[in-house]
Amino acid sequence: MRLIENWFSERYSDNLQLSFRVQDQLLSVKTDYQRIDLFNTYDFGKLLSIDGTVQLTEKDEYIYHEMITMVPYYCTARSESALIIGGGDGGAAKRLLNLGIKRIVNVEIDQNVVEISKKYFPDLASSFDNKNVELIIGDGIKYIKDTNELFDLIIIDSTDPVGPAEGLFDRNFYENARSKLVDDGIIVTQSGSPYYQPEALKMATKGMKSVFDNVKTYIAFIPTYPSGLWSFTMASKSEIKQRKDIIKPGKYFNEDILKGAFYLPQFVKNIINNSI
Ligand code: AG3
């Protein structure tokens, strides 16, 4: 008997891809914005991919979601309100609720991501049922331009800067975001794999530096994303530094990570310094 194995691969370059052995494919849909696939993997539990790129897995989503929320949270003195752009799975909103944030607006462009997450990642998507979370299905770029509200935190939980998310990495967008932040508020974006996507990190750095005086990059180890080394970039009108004293650890995040995540390998510093 021939043994049949099924694999999902994300392609990192023409010559390298990472493959996950899968038990089965649970879903594949083409929406107005993107293609969404869902697999049951052997090592990482359920895996959600958009346009062939891993968005989250059950097993390691906590790293990305803690890092995109907890690092900026501990760098703001007051954090009562937050705006999430993207994040249709509910993972970022869940962490913000855990941190006690009282007003969370989550603007996701693709309703399908929310529905799929409700069905397959209920632990994350249940945050949308919380009274402190307002879920808006719509275009985050337009939302940030039109809203009159100011936020303590703006979190850009987007896909890679190709396709629908491209406009979330440019100067225009950051300019609008700046005007919706309180004085010591922070905007953070995922800025890609420094190793395989230096352009994403450059775009975020360049865009943010063109409108903010204070920009800082930090990194985390995310096993299911390209190269495992992932970057996030934060910006603020005020100096970015730790502003809360009592730190509650997560599963990845802790006091050491809050300091250490800002220590960057030289090749990452070079990408940042060459992005102007
Ligand atoms: N946002 C997507 C991060 C980009 C992953 N890129 C990649 N695999 N090429 C994460 C969504 C989780 N809320």
Side-chain angles (χ1 to χ4, degrees):
M1 195 183 94
R2 201 164 74 92
L3 181 69
I4 296 175
E5 289 186 1
N6 294 311
W7 295 78
F8 159 75
S9 305
E10 175 174 346
R11 189 173 263 239
Y12 296 169
S13 75
D14 287 347
N15 308 309
L16 194 86
Q17 55 188 22
L18 178 69
S19 303
F20 300 78
R21 190 173 166 208
V22 303
Q23 276 147 6
D24 40 49
Q25 176 154 15
L26 304 171
L27 186 105
S28 179
V29 280
K30 177 97 189 56
T31 74
D32 287 345
Y33 300 99
Q34 51 211 355
R35 175 174 166 172
I36 308 177
D37 292 285
L38 189 75
F39 302 92
N40 224 334
T41 72
Y42 279 91
D43 279 6
F44 285 93
K46 286 187 219 93
L47 178 155
L48 179 80
S49 109
I50 292 184
D51 291 336
T53 65
V54 176
Q55 298 300 304
L56 67 99
T57 79
E58 247 172 333
K59 203 114 176 233
D60 77 340
E61 59 78 26
Y62 69 92
I63 307 176
Y64 176 92
H65 289 128
E66 285 183 8
M67 288 303 279
I68 204 167
T69 54
M70 295 173 90
V71 175
Y73 170 82
Y74 283 104
C75 295
T76 47
R78 206 190 68 122
S79 18
E80 269 152 36
S81 64
L83 169 65
I84 301 167
I85 309 264
D89 48 74
K94 176 183 162 174
R95 278 4 181 250
L96 293 179
L97 286 170
N98 287 344
L99 291 166
I101 298 189
K102 291 283 172 304
R103 161 111 178 113
I104 300 165
V105 180
N106 194 331
V107 185
E108 163 63 49
I109 201 164
D110 192 342
Q111 168 108 44
N112 295 278
V113 177
V114 175
E115 271 155 25
I116 291 166
S117 190
K118 282 192 168 159
K119 185 157 173 207
Y120 296 99
F121 301 98
D123 183 42
L124 304 181
S126 61
S127 20
F128 296 132
D129 300 327
N130 189 294
K131 62 168 183 8
N132 294 346
V133 180
E134 182 186 349
L135 173 66
I136 296 171
I137 302 299
D139 181 351
I141 298 175
K142 189 170 161 7
Y143 181 86
I144 218 160
K145 209 160 58 202
D146 296 345
T147 181
N148 295 318
E149 201 171 337
L150 296 187
F151 295 93
D152 299 317
L153 290 169
I154 298 180
I155 293 176
I156 316 302
D157 179 12
S158 72
T159 49
D160 297 347
V162 277
E166 207 176 326
L168 297 171
F169 285 76
D170 72 14
R171 184 196 160 101
N172 224 332
F173 173 75
Y174 294 131
E175 236 160 24
N176 289 322
R178 187 181 195 277
S179 68
K180 306 300 150 78
L181 273 178
V182 301
D183 281 344
D184 65 354
I186 289 184
I187 175 170
V188 62
T189 185
Q190 71 90 0
S191 43
S193 160
Y195 198 88
Y196 279 111
Q197 305 165 313
E199 286 311 317
L201 178 54
K202 273 192 194 168
M203 281 167 85
T205 307
K206 186 173 175 211
M208 283 186 173
K209 281 199 172 156
S210 69
V211 287
F212 289 96
D213 288 339
N214 305 280
V215 177
K216 270 192 172 178
T217 297
Y218 60 96
I219 51 178
F221 163 66
I222 303 180
T224 59
Y225 284 176
S227 84
L229 177 71
W230 206 252
S231 75
F232 300 85
T233 305
M234 290 199 290
S236 177
K237 294 181 247 182
S238 313
E239 187 194 348
I240 299 176
K241 56 175 190 190
Q242 186 180 334
R243 288 179 193 269
K244 288 188 180 77
D245 292 335
I246 299 161
I247 288 160
K248 264 183 44 199
K251 271 210 286 178
Y252 180 89
F253 177 87
N254 60 27
E255 213 172 330
D256 293 340
I257 290 290
L258 180 54
K259 298 196 164 62
F262 294 98
Y263 283 77
L264 306 175
Q266 192 56 41
F267 85 93
V268 181
K269 287 191 181 193
N270 293 344
I271 296 168
I272 293 165
N273 294 335
N274 290 333
S275 41
I276 314 304

